Every structure is written in structure tokens, then in C-alpha cells.
Amino acid sequence: MTDPLALPDSNGPRAVFLCGKSWTAYTGTFFIAVLLFFAALPLAFKYNTRAALIVLAGSALIVGYRLLTIRSYQLYYDEAGVWLASGILPWKKKLTGVPWRDLGQASHETTFWSWLFRSYTVRISMRSTGQTVIHASGMARGKHAVDTIHIRLRELLDSRAVVV
């Protein structure tokens, strides 16, 4: 299967990027940035310049961290299974996933808003327990990602690479 989104990795198996967070995931951070930079910062300037610099630096750190954290969400698959990676700080990095042999169902949640903004909630569950292992909301191209996972699983089952 040749995929233009394939990310070759010389250190390990070939990973295929499926989707990341949609623009709708950034709206909360945008409102926080507006409050911090257009409400808290002018109030701090009225107090004194040192307080304004502290508010500016703190606001920039908060907004920057939130933006980088949202951007770090990546749903992908490789030879071993389907994975969701997130986090930017070493102690906050997280990798959850399901091996192909244990993959039960991949689904996307469609509501009016998700349909309108093309921002879906993706759920991937275990075959044996039915427990949702990957739950990612606000994913761009989430519907396409679920379809791609099902196609890949079918290919693996047909080629007997995965035995159920």
C-alpha cells in the first residue's frame, strides 16, 4: 500500500500518519489568549510595567504550551498496530494504541457540529473486551482515518498477516 502521507523512519517500522487535531481544537486556546492578552495584560499595565511583563511572559508560556500540546496529537498506524501519540514534555508524553491482532472496532462520532466543521471524535476499541483504548476528540480527517484503518485491517486479514 503506497500512501503519500507515509512517514519513513530509518530507526523502525514505517508509520503512516492518519490525522491530527482539527482547527476546532484550538478555539478554547484562542479564547484564553484573547482574555490574557487583551484583558489581563492591559489591566497589568495599569498597575505597573513589571507586572505587565510578568503577565506577558506567563500568558505567552500558557498559550504556547497549549498550542504545542494540541499540535502534538498524532493518530497513525504502523506494522504493529494503531497508535495515538501526544505530549511535548518528557514526563507528559503518552503513546496509546492497539495491536492489529487485538483491534476490534474503529469508529467516528458524527454530530451536526462534527459534520459541519469536519472535526470528528475517533474511538478505537479492543476486540476481546470492547473497551475503548483510543478516544480522540476534535480530529481533522477523523472519518477518513477510520476508513483507512478498516481498509488496512482488511488487507492484513486477507493476506493472513494478522490472525484473528
Side-chain angles (χ1 to χ4, degrees):
M1 177 174 165
T2 305
D3 191 330
L5 297 175
L7 306 171
D9 185 7
S10 60
N11 298 334
R14 183 177 164 111
V16 178
F17 175 76
L18 294 170
C19 63
K21 289 286 189 176
S22 171
W23 67 271
T24 57
Y26 293 90
T27 55
T29 302
F30 173 75
F31 288 122
I32 288 173
V34 167
L35 285 173
L36 290 172
F37 290 112
F38 296 109
L41 190 59
L43 286 174
F45 264 116
K46 287 183 181 181
Y47 183 67
N48 70 26
T49 307
R50 184 175 290 168
L53 288 174
I54 292 170
V55 169
L56 178 64
S59 299
L61 286 173
I62 290 169
V63 171
Y65 177 74
R66 288 180 58 100
L67 290 174
L68 290 173
T69 300
I70 293 169
R71 187 165 165 75
S72 72
Y73 280 81
Q74 295 182 347
L75 183 68
Y76 66 94
Y77 73 82
D78 60 13
E79 296 168 355
V82 181
W83 313 99
L84 178 67
S86 64
I88 56 170
L89 298 174
W91 57 88
K92 287 287 203 175
K93 286 189 178 186
K94 185 166 62 167
L95 181 66
T96 57
V98 181
W100 287 115
R101 70 178 184 281
D102 296 333
L103 189 111
Q105 181 179 359
S107 62
H108 67 278
E109 190 176 297
T110 304
T111 63
F112 173 73
W113 298 111
S114 66
W115 169 81
L116 183 64
F117 297 126
R118 302 289 189 251
S119 173
Y120 299 95
T121 298
V122 175
R123 297 180 201 278
I124 300 175
S125 62
M126 300 280 284
R127 180 170 45 96
S128 58
T129 63
Q131 175 186 2
T132 299
V133 177
I134 296 175
H135 177 267
S137 61
M139 300 300 279
R141 296 188 347 248
K143 185 176 181 180
H144 174 70
V146 169
D147 293 341
T148 304
I149 290 169
H150 283 293
I151 290 169
R152 182 65 181 147
L153 181 61
R154 177 56 43 205
E155 288 173 354
L156 291 171
L157 289 173
D158 290 344
S159 69
R160 304 266 190 237
V162 172
V163 179
V164 193

